[in-house]
Every structure is written in structure tokens, then in C-alpha cells.
Amino acid sequence: MSDALDYQLARFREMTPAERWKAAHQLYWSARRLKAAFFREMHPEWTEEQVEDAVREAFRRARD
């Protein structure tokens, strides 16, 4: 493994469950913001409601 991956894995192992949950939570919401930015870029004519609907649908389908 690479040094960066070794460091990352070691850091995750040191985290408490609460810290791991917080990191996962932040990652999830960051991914949603990035997806929304993508939709806004691809569809500048969409309303904010349309963007949010598309984000919701994209994340709902990701679970399938």
C-alpha cells in the first residue's frame, strides 16, 4: 500500500465510532453539494427545487 493509504487507514482505526460517523456524515453531505453543483452547471435553467429533486433522485437510485 501507499504511504498515504497506510496513514489514512491508521487514522480511521484511531477514530472513535462517533468520529467515524461524523466523517461519514460530512462526506455524505459534501457529495450531495457536489452533485447539486453538477446539476446546476448542466442545467442552468433549472430552479433550485428541480436541482434538489434531481439530487434526491440520484441518491435514491444509488442505493439500488
Side-chain angles (χ1 to χ4, degrees):
M1 282 190 249
S2 71
D3 290 340
L5 183 56
D6 289 339
Y7 175 80
Q8 185 178 23
L9 290 173
R11 178 63 187 112
F12 282 132
R13 287 184 187 113
E14 293 170 358
M15 289 177 154
T16 66
E19 289 172 324
R20 286 193 298 269
W21 185 90
K22 183 178 178 183
H25 182 78
Q26 290 171 337
L27 182 60
Y28 172 80
W29 286 105
S30 292
R32 286 186 71 106
R33 284 190 299 275
L34 286 170
K35 182 60 90 173
F38 168 77
F39 284 130
R40 285 186 198 98
E41 181 71 24
M42 297 303 294
H43 305 282
E45 73 283 2
W46 282 9
T47 66
E48 192 59 27
E49 184 178 354
Q50 288 172 305
V51 169
E52 290 303 317
D53 288 345
V55 170
R56 231 181 339 273
E57 181 64 17
F59 275 76
R60 187 191 65 76
R61 283 184 292 145
R63 296 181 196 146
D64 294 342

